[in-house]
Amino acid sequence: MNRDLVDRLRQFHELTAGEFRALLTMRDPLDVKYLMEQAREVAQKQFGTKIFLRGLVELSNVCRNDCLYCGIRQSNTHVSRYTLSREQVLQCCELGYQTGFRTFVLQGGEWGEQRSPWIADLISAIRLRWPDCAITLSLGEHPRETYALWREAGADRYLLRHETHNERLYSLLHPQGMTIGHRLQCLDWLKELGYQTGAGIMVGAPYQSLGSIVEDIQYLIDFKPHMIGIGPFIPQHDTPFARFPAGSADLTARLYAILRLALPQTLIPSTTAMATVAPDGRLRGILAGANVVMPNLSPEDNRKQYALYDNKAALGAESAQGIKQLADELATIGYAIDWSRGDSPNA
Ligand code: SAM
């Protein structure tokens, strides 16, 4: 019966809410294995046994927002705040380019609009120096004009997890004034402006229910993002959610598999949070149909300061030795690095 659901999802890319719930809760290990195998097969049909790399540059941990789960939320006074200089960012990209990276992801806390021209200028500089690279932004919510400015400057992709599609849960995870309505509006603008757009959630976020995860699956199927960023929630000790348990690697992997079958062409990273909750988390993500890994190119000194959650795993793949380690790790499951830009097949 469960395997029949897996087959139908693979064939038709859609199930009812009750059927998605059945896939999320099924217990027979053989059924779960079947789901993973099918997802892997679909991922391999689309991308082969190759994994795209993205070089992550953590631009700044300064943030105007106060998301209750996040270690760099504005009201966390224990964070030592930093912002990389333009030169530092370009150095990170240079190092990444020499190593072979052809996608840079600029991620950071959300700044006020007065800094948007500075970002635009940085994007232009990267675009000019490395015209063959993709530039991905992950800088939160901004007015449409700001997204347009950055797009014109040369940004190609934008990651903005919707975090949860459920209005009530969204309000429990975020401060007053932040709404799911506005988040979704931002995602629509990004797509309209021609960005390859990424949405996604944290698995096991406080107060999250299976019903809300099903809502997220249905929203993602409807929105058809080019990328889906999903990782387990992990508590950070200075946030209001410090005492909540971390989300599970199993459920996260199961969600990768379900979404791979629902949206075969989507780029799905096996996230750092996955690697943090389980020692073999990154590989488990790939075996569930993920096809992207995002090593960190940020300066060594700043990485600890970008502490969204506790015990964040470090991949260190920016160095030649780190890349070799990653390649060796992937080889243990029969996969290899793909050094191309890795655009979305449906871009
Ligand atoms: N400010 C941008 C934004 O809000 O999209 C980008 C940076 S934000 C820190 C990137 C992502 O980190 C969020 O979308 C959230 O899902 C994830 N994140 C934050 N705190 C986390 C936690 N405690 N555990 C797991 N993931 C977390």
Side-chain angles (χ1 to χ4, degrees):
M1 168 65 184
N2 285 331
R3 290 186 211 187
D4 178 52
L5 293 183
V6 173
D7 290 341
R8 277 207 283 127
L9 181 57
R10 181 172 175 171
Q11 194 178 352
F12 302 111
H13 316 298
E14 181 60 277
L15 291 175
T16 66
E19 290 168 336
F20 279 125
R21 188 182 275 265
L23 287 187
L24 288 168
T25 51
M26 65 190 182
R27 290 186 169 207
D28 185 336
L30 291 177
D31 288 349
V32 178
K33 186 164 170 270
Y34 185 72
L35 169 68
M36 298 296 164
E37 282 165 1
Q38 293 301 305
R40 208 151 61 228
E41 215 176 278
V42 168
Q44 290 182 6
K45 248 183 138 171
Q46 199 62 235
F47 306 103
T49 49
K50 291 288 192 82
I51 299 297
F52 292 131
L53 293 199
R54 318 296 195 203
L56 181 66
V57 181
E58 293 159 341
L59 205 60
S60 172
N61 65 359
V62 175
C63 192
R64 66 180 170 190
N65 269 346
D66 221 15
C67 308
L68 277 79
Y69 45 83
C70 186
I72 62 169
R73 66 200 299 265
Q74 191 189 44
S75 58
N76 184 359
T77 52
H78 296 109
V79 179
S80 121
R81 304 282 170 176
Y82 76 91
T83 297
L84 299 185
S85 68
R86 176 190 153 101
E87 260 330 294
Q88 279 177 306
V89 176
L90 295 177
Q91 272 167 22
C92 295
C93 296
E94 177 62 35
L95 179 75
Y97 191 85
Q98 280 171 18
T99 311
F101 287 89
R102 292 295 178 269
T103 292
F104 304 123
V105 182
L106 306 183
Q107 192 185 82
E110 211 175 276
W111 294 348
E113 297 316 311
Q114 73 281 3
R115 302 295 305 272
S116 299
W118 186 87
I119 301 274
D121 182 62
L122 180 64
I123 296 165
S124 304
I126 297 174
R127 172 56 57 241
L128 197 68
R129 208 135 131 193
W130 298 286
D132 52 333
C133 288
I135 303 172
T136 305
L137 304 177
S138 176
L139 300 169
E141 292 183 20
H142 293 277
R144 194 181 198 278
E145 305 81 70
T146 300
Y147 292 145
L149 177 77
W150 293 343
R151 179 85 182 109
E152 278 156 29
D156 309 280
R157 308 177 186 152
Y158 205 106
L159 303 169
L160 181 69
R161 291 188 182 176
H162 65 287
E163 312 294 0
T164 171
H165 191 261
N166 182 279
E167 198 173 334
R168 193 179 126 69
L169 179 57
Y170 195 92
S171 70
L172 290 170
L173 301 180
H174 296 99
Q176 253 195 350
M178 282 183 77
T179 64
I180 182 60
H182 189 256
R183 194 72 156 190
L184 300 182
Q185 172 71 83
C186 288
L187 282 160
D188 287 341
W189 285 335
L190 289 164
K191 236 187 179 184
E192 280 163 26
L193 288 163
Y195 283 95
Q196 291 174 44
T197 305
I201 65 165
M202 289 178 296
V203 173
Y207 313 112
Q208 186 181 54
S209 65
L210 270 182
S212 76
I213 296 181
V214 171
E215 264 184 66
D216 291 318
I217 296 173
Q218 291 177 319
Y219 164 68
L220 289 168
I221 290 175
D222 208 38
F223 183 63
K224 295 190 181 35
H226 303 90
M227 306 168 281
I228 297 179
I230 292 186
F233 159 77
I234 303 170
Q236 200 280 350
H237 60 275
D238 286 318
T239 62
F241 292 160
R243 290 181 193 287
F244 281 86
S248 108
D250 281 345
L251 187 57
T252 307
R254 204 178 282 203
L255 211 49
Y256 288 169
I258 290 172
L259 290 165
R260 171 58 67 214
L261 294 177
L263 296 157
Q265 299 194 313
T266 310
L267 301 160
I268 303 180
S270 187
T271 53
T272 306
M274 238 339 231
T276 303
V277 291
D280 59 347
R282 205 178 311 267
L283 296 185
R284 269 162 72 185
I286 291 168
L287 292 172
N291 72 312
V292 176
V293 168
M294 294 170 62
N296 199 331
L297 297 178
S298 309
E300 196 88 44
D301 290 351
N302 300 111
R303 287 192 205 166
K304 281 204 172 65
Q305 289 164 281
Y306 197 81
L308 308 182
Y309 46 78
D310 292 336
N311 307 313
K312 190 170 122 195
L315 185 62
E318 73 290 351
S319 66
Q321 193 198 7
I323 286 292
K324 184 171 178 329
Q325 262 173 29
L326 175 62
D328 288 348
E329 201 188 332
L330 293 176
T332 63
I333 54 166
Y335 281 73
I337 292 170
D338 182 332
W339 284 110
S340 67
R341 273 170 57 113
D343 284 299
S344 161
N346 59 357

